[in-house]
Amino acid sequence: MAGLPSSGGIPPSADRAQPAYGAHLLAYAGIPSFMRRPATRELAGADVAIVGVPYDGGATSYRSGARLGPRQIRAASTLLWGYNAALGVAPLEVLRLIDYGDVAVQPGDTAQTMGAIAQESGVLLAAGLSVVALGGDHSITLPLLRAHAARYGPLAVLHLDAHADTWAGPPDHSTTFRHAIEEGLIAPASYVLVGMRGPLWAAEDAIAPRELGALVWGADECLTLGIPAVVASLREHLAGRPLYVSLDLDAADPAYAPGVGTPEIGGLTSHQLLQLVRGLRGLRLIGADVVELCPPYDHGDITAVLAANLVFELLSLLALQLKGQQP
Ligand code: MN
Ligand code: MN
């Protein structure tokens, strides 16, 4: 093994959470669980679970295909080496990460699917694991927030998205955050939306998230004032509470994320998203999702690679947190 890079970054001597399916193989070989972690439902001893939610029945706005997202993010994850130089941590040397596989979704039945997401993520949280979910469309976030709020109480939420997803209506990918606020899952004055832009249905749509209590950083403001200013603001706003991060990939510009369900021009770059996520270091991250990857519209895996890397950054934050708790 000496000298051969190990996809997933775990040295062969690490004896916990043994890499699955040939981690000694090259990135393009073998069976792609997320970063080659064990694909298992054995929760004992695990810290974090990757959970796929291959559901796009809550996406009625434009183009479907996000059901194929989890598999594609896993495939892209085999190229993630282990060490995060920007954050100074090798997450898999700290975290015992498992790939839980996918939630038992029911195509076309959002209510039943949401029940399954809440139930299965609830089991993981009750066992003491953190959940990082791979979407799926943005409807999957509501039951994830329900499960997290049931365990942690009202949450601080960072929502990265071109869209507010605060329309009124039954649960789907465009109403998630209105429901979450109205159900009390998000703590008052602890909700930040970053990246909003694009033509709206009506003028009220620009006001709705603010009326619901969101601090909104539109994409224009982010690009004009710069990400460090955004990070300073959201750190101030989100500190002191358990933080859930919901990352809709259409926060990125279509040049950086063509493979999404509802693309909007004028968005953030890949690097700006990395800066934003890394800027959360030190906050109390308790869970996250990366949603709306729509592989049929992706090109050269641009969006899938971005998604996998953003998950890697989130895992790095969780690792730093766990490290900080160790004696
Ligand atoms: Mn969304
Ligand atoms: Mn969106």
Side-chain angles (χ1 to χ4, degrees), residues 60-61 164-180 182 201 204-205 208-209 211-212:
T60 52
S61 302
D165 299 347
T166 49
W167 278 353
D172 71 18
H173 84 147
S174 68
T175 63
T176 297
F177 291 87
R178 177 178 292 274
H179 285 281
E182 289 177 351
W201 188 259
E204 305 86 83
D205 288 349
E211 280 182 343
L212 288 165

Side-chain angles (χ1 to χ4, degrees), residues 182-256:
E182 289 177 351
E183 291 180 22
L185 310 177
I186 302 178
S190 300
Y191 174 39
V192 182
L193 167 61
V194 177
M196 190 178 171
R197 63 189 188 276
L200 300 170
W201 188 259
E204 305 86 83
D205 288 349
I207 306 161
R210 293 179 177 90
E211 280 182 343
L212 288 165
L215 171 66
V216 180
W217 276 90
D220 273 350
E221 297 164 283
C222 294
L223 297 168
T224 304
L225 298 175
I227 298 302
V230 183
V231 165
S233 156
L234 64 85
R235 288 185 67 87
E236 194 177 318
H237 216 70
L238 298 173
R241 278 193 181 276
L243 171 65
Y244 187 94
V245 175
S246 187
L247 206 164
D248 183 330
L249 290 159
D250 67 34
D253 190 272
Y256 296 88

Side-chain angles (χ1 to χ4, degrees), residues 138 161-163 165 248 250-251 262 292:
H138 221 157
D161 203 324
H163 314 99
D165 299 347
D248 183 330
D250 67 34
T262 43
E292 296 278 348

